[in-house]
Amino acid sequence: MNPHEPTLSHLAVAPAQAAILAGSGRTKLYEAISSGALPSFKIGTRRLIRVSDLDEWLASFKEPR
């Protein structure tokens, strides 16, 4: 297993990894970060997204019944 490959065992991932996990494009992900729809934080110069926040953001796209 590649240590840089995103897995669900990570607590937080970089935006590029978050886009892979979400099946989304990086542009859409950065738009969500900019609008505040998807929380992120920085440690030093690295921007990270909590996997739990990514799950909540994806859940917000549920289609109405």
Side-chain angles (χ1 to χ4, degrees):
M1 176 175 10
N2 182 345
H4 300 290
E5 198 172 294
T7 66
L8 293 179
S9 64
H10 286 86
L11 297 177
V13 294
Q17 294 169 318
I20 292 168
L21 287 173
S24 171
R26 288 186 310 162
T27 301
K28 189 57 141 178
L29 201 92
Y30 277 109
E31 287 173 1
I33 291 170
S34 294
S35 72
L38 178 59
S40 69
F41 61 97
K42 288 182 101 174
I43 295 179
T45 59
R46 287 200 60 186
R47 178 158 306 279
L48 296 170
I49 298 164
R50 285 180 184 84
V51 173
S52 59
D53 288 335
L54 182 62
D55 288 338
E56 287 180 30
W57 178 67
L58 290 171
S60 72
F61 292 101
K62 287 184 181 174
E63 291 186 26
R65 293 182 178 227

